[in-house]
Amino acid sequence: EDVDIRAPKEEIGCAQLMFPYAQPEIVLDDRIRLNADKALLEKGGLSDLLGGVTVRQGDKVFSAEQMNFDDTTQVVTVKTESLFRNSSVIIKSQEAQFDLKGESGSFFDTEFTLPSRSARGDAKRIDVNSDRQVRLTDASYTTCAMGSNAWYLQASDIRLDQDEGLGTARNTKVRFMGVPIIYLPYFQFPIDSRRRTGLLYPTVGQFSGSGVDFRWPVYINLAPNYDATVTPRFLSERGIQSGLDFRYLMEKGEGSARYEYLDDRKFGEDRSLFRFDHHSLINERLGVEATYAETSDRNYFEDLGGTLSSSSITHLEQTARLTYQAPASYQITALVQNFQPIATTLTDIDDPYKRLPQIRFRTRSQPLYDTRVGIESEYVNFARDNSVEGGRFVLDPYVQFDRQSAAWYVTGQADLHHTHYELTETDPGQRKSPDRTLPIVSAEAGLRFERVTDKGRLQTLTPRGFLLYVPYDNQDDLPLFDTGEPDFDFVQLFARNRFSGDDRLADARHIAGAATLRELDPGTGESRWSASIGQLYRIEAPRVGLPDDPPPERGATEFITQFDYRISRSWRAVVAGQWSPEQREFDRTQVGFRYRAPDRRSQLDLSYRYRRDILEQADLSFLTPIGGAWKFAARTRFSLQDNESRENFAGVEYSTCCWAARVSYRRFIGDATGDFDSGVYLQLQLKGLASLGAGGATLLPDSEIDGERPQ
Amino acid sequence: AAKGEREQLRPTSPVKINADRAEWQKGGSMVYTGNVRLESGDLKLSGDRLNLTQFDNGEFEAKVDGKPAKLDHAGLAAAGTRGDERPPVTARASTLTYDSRNDIVEVAGDALLTRGTDEIRGQNIRYDVTERRIEAQGKEGCEGASTKAGCQVEIVIQPPPRKGKTEGGAAAPSPGKAASNP
Amino acid sequence: CGFHAAGTRPLPDPLKRVRIDLVAPYRVSEPPVETSLRDRLTQRGAQVVKKIKGDDSVTVIRLSDLRESREVLSVGSDGKALEYELILRVRYEVRTGQHVWIPPSQMEARRDYSFNAQQVLPKEQEAERLREFLEDEMAEMLLLRIEAATARAVEEPEAAAPAVAPDAAPVAPATSSTPEGPTPAPQTLDSTTAAPDAAPTTPAE
């Protein structure tokens, strides 16, 4: 498979003057065929042809009302209007001379079309020469349809090189709606769909704190398997930022890198971002992955990110991982990981520990009488300035029984979870090498009932039960490297440790139960609706907790419910809740509606989410064509808790077959002080003029409503 | 009439007619049949049947029919520069009518005329022997409907081999492939 | 109320011998979605085979483009993320030899989870647990869809491949998110099979 980065396809489809006849079939020999109503052949080899005259040779066709042809010099001369076509260009001219032998000719007062690009234009003079170079003098060029001059490029000289697939224009003026918008002494543009070095389309706007924000990316096609996009960005209040995106594809791997540099007048020092993602195979057993992001300062995204998805980032992951997979037996992963905190509200004590390194070994045997044995083991060396540091060994051998059939299943698992620490920088009196060994015993059983409704739909009812027993062991003096309490939800109902992370192993004597009733559409096997409910009953109150998070009491927890209904092919609804019988209140609720038009051209998402003491937010986002070439998209995230909207985004796109313009307005909560950033952006895309490459991010979100994704 | 009789037709150049049989027709014309061959100077006509009408001053009109009737007009060697040489002309049609008074051959029916390596097809063609000029026309009344077969004159010209070009250099790229590689 | 223990509803014939082809160029270990799909198939009595040259009678489930993305949902008053949504997407296609049971389609599963800037490592492990849960849920949804597609065609064997029934383009926003097993916690709108980028059988491409 050839190693090639595929360029995004930019469909160009304006109808252009096409040759009246069908594409002439390419005749392999180079004999010249002349057709006419009347022909007069002089003895010197000159022939005058009258009436519906066509001259064909190879891929070239000439047609006119009157033509004369010199047999010895093989030159066609036309004094009246004629149409010329070869495999790459169609020229309509008022006067033309073409040497069929030398395969070159000149045309005067011409209009031309490039079928491969559905581009057209006119020119005082066109010269075609044998090595398929086409030279236009005093020419205009556009990809707009006949009769629409939305934009066109005017140049004293344009050279079209078919082999290179490049058009080169000299002292060029680009006119948009009749107004000259740019003058370029020298300008290259693609004339076929190959990935080409060249300008992408510009984005100009205004962003609070940065002033005018003007970006014009240039795509550089370095090789079939690697390319780059350089984005100079002018920020009126800050300075010139240079951005470089680099993509590469190797035999057994690929990756991308991004570097931004800005000498920021306003910020007072230079600022940079470096981002790197890579994954590849060393051999088919050993894979390597790396993801790295680093900024020069914490406010980087708040000032320069420009979108909520980037400014809301709190930490940048810096990880490299090696994975070795022995054929169907064991797996070893080794990883080094660090996070750069960029949330300005965080202090050092909140920084996550570095894992320098983490090594995991896991293996599981093949089932023998439905029983497997396995081991999960891990060594991690945690590091963090002025905190407890050290290595943690986890050895977790287990026996797992798993028996199932169509109507029921039973699984059981018993672990002996052993953890040992080797700590440094401990507080006085704190043990340096504490350890903890605890058994974990769990059992799970489930049944599966079915029935077919009178309407022929299959309904399934699947109740499940889960038992967990873990004895108590005081773990208060164990460090807290990577442990916390996750959300309480269906996944958590069947978890074998109430905490995520191995520093705490929650004691547990509880039973969890859940049931799902689902109706299936027999035709497609898709679920028309499903309702689920689940709850956990603690026989004894657990005693292991986190410093600022006391363990829960005895008895039943909240009910977890979810109802999910596919109203129609396009509409879906989800209602979910977590209701606590004691406090008789909801800990968590969610209502959501989702619309996806079958042709995916319009969509809507509406949702309400409440998490007690954390957030209460309503979200509305939609994207829809509003007739003709217009498309409108909007998104708002409104916090009901603080009664303020966290993000408002509105974008409009007007897109015709040869140009598109997008305007987007975005106001979102920009930084920790809570004040808002807002920006208005305009993007002009002259289709066919920009090179095909990575392509600048469009302002309108793609099908998934999330605004501009940070690259 | 005697077989292979030789007859002097044009005072300037002898006209020879060979045929298997010759018959005298009332009205003064002669009909020759059976692999007829007429030679007048460097012009040769041949066919199955020749209808010869003589006029008083030695001029004549020869109407040759054949399947097909053939005309051969020898080419001239290049006298001066390369441009002067005149390629030989041949014609094939169902009927060839040569009129010595204006030295013009009317070629009728789907005629194929060649000049050197070039071929000319048309419904009716006039060949001026002395001027070596060919006037060709498509079928009457279908001008413009150029796509109908046989409606137009078609001339196919074999270009001289290109000097210095790689073999088949001018061959058009195969259809469908990017036009960039020859 | 009419419910009875799930009989041994046999797997449709095409699923008797199945092979799972995962296209993941830079992955050495088997993703949970493949493991779970294989376990569910074997548990239902299917024979999951390895790749044998020239064996056209086996039904191939081709999984490709398994991608995960994380998007910010809710943001706190300091502008920092309070809730993320984990979205898993996979492209799948099912055929036996030349016969296409399911043309290239895409499936998606989502779950959201709260986020706390002081709990980066614990939240990362919670996301890992969610990822495995979503992949298992996806495997379940896949099996339901494959079973329906292969069963339906058996009844009308001569029907053309059920590739593009007029309305049931593979894009139908299908699978609900609630799996059979552990019922899911509240999540934003569930997994749908979004239309593949290129309509499955456009001749134009």
Side-chain angles (χ1 to χ4, degrees):
Chain A
E1 214 196 328
D2 57 359
V3 177
D4 189 358
I5 296 182
R6 281 181 309 285
K9 221 155 61 58
E10 186 184 70
E11 310 87 21
I12 303 166
C14 297
Q16 300 297 10
L17 154 77
M18 283 302 168
F19 204 72
Y21 314 108
Q23 160 81 357
E25 79 295 343
I26 306 290
V27 177
L28 285 189
D29 63 40
D30 56 7
R31 291 193 309 172
I32 303 165
R33 237 172 229 85
L34 303 102
N35 291 77
D37 295 343
K38 264 173 65 103
L40 190 63
L41 292 88
E42 294 297 342
K43 68 169 173 282
L46 251 178
S47 22
D48 279 342
L49 307 156
L50 286 166
V53 184
T54 61
V55 177
R56 281 195 180 81
Q57 186 204 24
D59 64 354
K60 292 176 282 304
V61 182
F62 235 104
S63 78
E65 269 319 296
Q66 180 270 329
M67 213 183 274
N68 77 53
F69 176 77
D70 183 327
D71 186 352
T72 40
T73 62
Q74 314 240 313
V75 169
V76 175
T77 318
V78 191
K79 290 279 181 290
T80 64
E81 179 175 288
S82 74
L83 262 177
F84 167 82
R85 168 170 197 151
N86 66 15
S87 55
S88 50
V89 69
I90 299 170
I91 302 174
K92 181 172 165 187
S93 58
Q94 301 314 317
E95 192 193 332
Q97 195 166 34
F98 198 87
D99 169 359
L100 286 170
K101 180 151 51 78
E103 286 196 272
S104 60
S106 309
F107 304 81
F108 303 93
D109 295 334
T110 69
E111 286 168 47
F112 66 91
T113 306
L114 283 179
S116 66
R117 206 63 190 152
S118 66
R120 66 175 174 82
D122 50 45
K124 258 278 154 298
R125 174 189 171 120
I126 297 184
D127 296 294
V128 175
N129 57 32
S130 54
D131 54 10
R132 298 161 45 69
Q133 301 279 342
V134 176
R135 215 174 130 237
L136 316 162
T137 330
D138 282 349
S140 79
Y141 174 93
T142 177
T143 56
C144 289
M146 296 289 292
S148 126
N149 274 336
W151 66 267
Y152 57 89
L153 177 149
Q154 261 171 333
S156 60
D157 170 287
I158 300 181
R159 214 174 293 266
L160 302 175
D161 177 341
Q162 288 305 326
D163 299 338
E164 284 304 313
L166 259 184
T168 316
R170 282 196 173 61
N171 43 58
T172 320
K173 266 206 289 288
V174 179
R175 282 179 182 277
F176 179 68
M177 296 296 172
V179 175
I181 55 172
I182 194 157
Y183 170 80
L184 296 162
Y186 174 87
F187 173 65
Q188 277 195 332
F189 53 93
I191 53 172
D192 62 16
S193 54
R194 277 177 286 187
R195 272 188 302 114
R196 271 279 143 252
T197 298
L199 291 170
L200 302 178
Y201 32 82
T203 305
V204 65
Q206 187 278 336
F207 188 69
S208 53
S210 299
V212 174
D213 178 353
F214 178 75
R215 265 172 287 188
W216 199 324
V218 182
Y219 175 75
I220 302 169
N221 173 20
L222 300 165
N225 57 347
Y226 54 91
D227 62 19
T229 304
V230 176
T231 311
R233 179 182 185 193
F234 164 74
L235 297 162
S236 62
E237 289 175 21
R238 294 181 186 277
I240 308 253
Q241 180 191 48
S242 44
L244 167 72
D245 279 279
F246 179 72
R247 297 188 307 176
Y248 58 91
L249 197 58
M250 307 186 310
E251 185 56 29
K252 289 197 187 119
E254 66 184 58
S256 64
R258 176 165 177 79
Y259 178 70
E260 286 173 6
Y261 174 80
L262 165 69
D263 184 354
D264 190 335
R265 308 200 283 279
K266 186 167 185 182
F267 193 70
E269 52 188 75
D270 49 18
R271 312 172 78 176
S272 65
L273 156 77
F274 174 64
R275 185 192 295 275
F276 168 65
D277 287 282
H278 169 89
H279 32 90
S280 66
L281 290 183
I282 294 169
N283 57 46
E284 78 279 8
R285 294 263 179 288
L286 189 57
V288 61
E289 275 172 274
T291 180
Y292 185 90
E294 182 186 11
T295 59
S296 54
D297 56 282
R298 286 184 176 230
N299 309 76
Y300 190 88
F301 284 120
E302 286 170 3
D303 294 345
L304 301 168
T307 66
L308 186 67
S309 14
S310 53
S311 69
S312 61
I313 294 174
T314 58
H315 291 81
L316 295 174
E317 184 182 2
Q318 299 167 349
T319 308
R321 174 184 294 113
L322 268 172
T323 311
Y324 175 76
Q325 174 70 46
S329 54
Y330 62 88
Q331 181 189 62
I332 301 174
T333 59
L335 132 85
V336 285
Q337 180 179 59
N338 172 37
F339 287 92
Q340 178 197 351
I342 54 172
T344 44
T345 51
L346 292 175
T347 55
D348 288 355
I349 56 150
D350 304 323
D351 286 354
Y353 273 88
K354 296 182 170 56
R355 287 181 168 126
L356 300 170
Q358 170 188 21
I359 298 171
R360 259 200 192 133
F361 169 84
R362 53 170 51 148
T363 182
R364 195 170 70 155
S365 70
Q366 290 305 326
L368 185 64
Y369 300 113
D370 303 323
T371 311
R372 294 173 189 253
V373 288
I375 285 183
E376 296 270 347
S377 60
E378 181 188 78
Y379 162 72
V380 190
N381 173 28
F382 290 100
R384 186 171 75 182
D385 302 345
N386 41 54
S387 319
V388 177
E389 291 183 328
R392 180 183 71 197
F393 298 85
V394 168
L395 203 58
D396 178 3
Y398 60 89
V399 174
Q400 190 186 53
F401 171 82
D402 180 3
R403 184 108 179 70
Q404 23 197 329
S405 88
W408 51 269
Y409 73 90
V410 176
T411 64
Q413 183 168 336
D415 298 40
L416 187 58
H417 190 282
H418 169 67
T419 312
H420 174 73
Y421 290 90
E422 283 302 326
L423 300 176
T424 60
E425 318 293 330
T426 50
D427 303 338
Q430 193 185 4
R431 284 186 300 165
K432 281 223 181 308
S433 43
D435 49 31
R436 172 196 66 206
T437 308
L438 282 171
I440 308 172
V441 179
S442 70
E444 188 177 326
L447 296 168
R448 185 177 144 98
F449 299 102
E450 284 174 1
R451 75 173 175 182
V452 181
T453 65
D454 36 33
K455 286 217 276 322
R457 291 223 174 81
L458 178 66
Q459 283 187 350
T460 65
L461 175 63
T462 49
R464 291 180 60 185
F466 175 70
L467 273 162
L468 181 64
Y469 165 71
V470 180
Y472 169 70
D473 177 3
N474 185 314
Q475 299 165 41
D476 296 343
D477 64 351
L478 296 185
L480 268 175
F481 288 134
D482 66 353
T483 298
E485 187 147 7
D487 297 343
F488 181 70
D489 63 8
F490 282 101
V491 183
Q492 183 69 345
L493 271 183
F494 298 90
R496 304 181 77 235
N497 180 4
R498 193 172 88 239
F499 300 107
S500 65
D502 283 317
D503 294 325
R504 290 297 180 278
L505 183 47
D507 58 321
R509 284 175 186 72
H510 67 234
I511 305 165
T516 301
L517 176 62
R518 175 201 313 281
E519 181 171 298
L520 289 172
D521 176 337
T524 60
E526 285 147 9
S527 158
R528 277 185 57 70
W529 54 263
S530 72
S532 314
I533 188 161
Q535 191 186 34
L536 189 105
Y537 181 81
R538 289 196 172 84
I539 301 162
E540 265 181 38
R543 292 157 65 194
V544 176
L546 290 175
D548 48 12
D549 188 356
E553 286 95 16
R554 218 174 61 81
T557 65
E558 302 89 22
F559 282 99
I560 303 177
T561 61
Q562 161 125 4
F563 177 68
D564 173 358
Y565 179 39
R566 183 156 71 85
I567 304 162
S568 74
R569 272 184 48 70
S570 315
W571 280 97
R572 297 193 66 86
V574 172
V575 177
Q578 194 179 317
W579 189 76
S580 141
E582 295 95 20
Q583 287 93 353
R584 311 194 69 69
E585 63 177 11
F586 277 97
D587 285 343
R588 199 168 156 220
T589 59
Q590 182 184 339
V591 179
F593 289 95
R594 179 183 178 128
Y595 171 77
R596 288 291 180 275
D599 60 10
R600 285 171 59 90
R601 268 163 46 84
S602 53
Q603 54 193 45
L604 177 137
D605 282 87
L606 179 64
S607 62
Y608 162 84
R609 282 189 305 280
Y610 164 74
R611 288 178 190 265
R612 192 148 57 86
D613 306 333
I614 301 178
L615 61 90
E616 183 178 12
Q617 174 161 327
D619 234 5
L620 165 68
S621 57
F622 64 88
L623 165 73
T624 178
I626 40 177
W630 292 95
K631 212 194 249 183
F632 179 69
R635 169 159 205 167
T636 178
R637 305 182 211 233
F638 190 84
S639 160
L640 297 156
Q641 197 175 3
D642 307 336
N643 199 2
E644 88 180 346
S645 84
R646 295 272 150 76
E647 178 191 38
N648 289 326
F649 166 83
V652 176
E653 175 184 270
Y654 181 82
S655 172
T656 72
C657 64
C658 71
W659 66 280
R662 294 177 195 87
V663 179
S664 81
Y665 162 78
R666 188 189 297 279
R667 180 175 179 277
F668 57 97
I669 187 149
D671 52 37
T673 59
D675 54 20
F676 277 74
D677 285 340
S678 67
V680 182
Y681 282 96
L682 165 68
Q683 195 172 53
L684 181 61
Q685 179 187 358
L686 307 182
K687 292 183 182 174
L689 209 47
S691 114
L692 291 181
T698 63
L699 293 182
L700 277 199
D702 52 19
S703 59
E704 287 309 320
I705 297 281
D706 49 21
E708 205 182 4
R709 271 179 218 245
Q711 262 80 14
Chain B
K3 200 159 113 27
E5 209 171 76
R6 287 180 60 74
E7 218 153 333
Q8 195 59 28
L9 270 181
R10 194 145 21 110
T12 50
S13 56
V15 175
K16 292 198 265 333
I17 297 178
N18 299 72
D20 296 348
R21 280 180 307 288
E23 279 168 50
W24 187 267
Q25 293 277 0
K26 31 188 206 354
S29 64
M30 288 286 287
V31 172
Y32 299 83
T33 48
N35 50 59
V36 176
R37 278 202 351 291
L38 177 147
E39 280 176 32
S40 157
D42 51 9
L43 178 68
K44 295 188 183 61
L45 295 173
S46 59
D48 303 336
R49 186 173 180 286
L50 165 63
N51 187 324
L52 189 72
T53 322
Q54 282 180 294
F55 306 109
D56 42 22
N57 52 11
E59 299 299 346
F60 64 94
E61 181 192 77
K63 180 169 179 296
V64 180
D65 294 299
K67 296 186 193 58
K70 294 199 189 82
L71 168 146
D72 293 285
H73 184 203
L76 286 176
T81 58
R82 186 189 164 288
D84 279 356
E85 110 239 31
R86 296 290 175 267
V89 171
T90 71
R92 302 283 178 276
S94 35
T95 313
L96 296 171
T97 314
Y98 172 67
D99 186 334
S100 67
R101 284 169 301 182
N102 52 24
D103 207 10
I104 285 186
V105 181
E106 293 284 346
V107 182
D110 335 340
L112 164 62
L113 198 127
T114 68
R115 178 170 77 174
T117 52
D118 306 344
E119 299 162 8
I120 298 109
R121 283 186 182 72
Q123 277 313 304
N124 44 66
I125 301 180
R126 276 161 55 86
Y127 175 52
D128 179 329
V129 182
T130 34
E131 286 304 320
R132 286 180 174 269
R133 202 154 62 96
I134 305 166
E135 260 175 60
Q137 278 196 319
K139 210 181 273 170
E140 291 311 320
C142 73
E143 277 84 6
S146 59
T147 46
K148 247 185 340 24
C151 216
Q152 280 201 318
V153 177
E154 173 159 281
I155 305 169
V156 178
I157 293 175
Q158 182 69 38
R162 230 169 274 318
K163 282 181 293 306
K165 269 265 182 174
T166 54
E167 195 275 326
S174 59
K177 249 188 37 260
S180 61
N181 44 4
Chain C
C1 55
F3 273 105
H4 49 79
T8 47
R9 205 156 40 89
L11 273 180
D13 300 343
L15 293 184
K16 289 285 186 294
R17 280 184 76 247
V18 178
R19 182 177 88 229
I20 302 176
D21 273 2
L22 174 78
V23 176
Y26 313 118
R27 199 183 173 103
V28 286
S29 54
E30 187 179 80
V33 60
E34 183 181 356
T35 322
S36 167
L37 185 58
R38 185 179 336 101
D39 293 349
R40 286 170 187 276
L41 280 163
T42 9
Q43 175 239 321
R44 291 289 304 279
Q47 187 202 0
V48 182
V49 297
K50 280 276 170 275
K51 196 176 177 71
I52 308 158
K53 266 279 157 288
D55 171 358
D56 275 355
S57 68
V58 74
T59 302
V60 178
I61 303 173
R62 190 169 187 275
L63 301 176
S64 60
D65 204 4
L66 178 61
R67 266 179 305 121
E68 172 204 316
S69 66
R70 187 182 82 154
E71 277 153 28
V72 62
L73 275 185
S74 310
V75 175
S77 55
D78 61 356
K80 294 305 169 226
L82 275 184
E83 225 180 5
Y84 275 110
E85 180 173 53
L86 192 61
I87 305 168
L88 239 58
R89 289 189 180 91
V90 74
R91 215 179 273 286
Y92 64 102
E93 181 187 349
V94 182
R95 58 175 70 222
T96 314
Q98 289 309 325
H99 187 80
V100 175
W101 301 107
I102 299 183
S105 316
Q106 193 179 30
M107 179 176 283
E108 184 188 276
R110 297 163 175 256
R111 292 191 72 81
D112 55 68
Y113 59 99
S114 71
F115 180 75
N116 171 341
Q118 277 89 11
Q119 304 251 324
V120 175
L121 293 187
K123 281 297 173 183
E124 202 208 27
Q125 308 207 31
E126 180 180 352
E128 181 59 29
R129 215 194 284 185
L130 286 185
R131 184 176 303 117
E132 269 163 32
F133 179 84
L134 281 176
E135 294 211 20
D136 182 65
E137 171 190 286
M138 235 189 223
E140 184 192 356
M141 290 297 126
L142 279 171
L143 184 54
L144 285 174
R145 297 239 24 224
I146 295 166
E147 206 177 336
T150 45
R152 188 153 46 85
V154 168
E155 281 125 30
E156 319 117 16
E158 85 297 342
V164 184
D167 61 341
V171 74
T175 51
S176 108
S177 66
T178 44
E180 214 117 24
T183 42
Q187 57 165 193
T188 51
L189 296 158
D190 56 312
S191 64
T192 65
T193 45
D197 304 339
T201 46
T202 37
E205 226 55 45

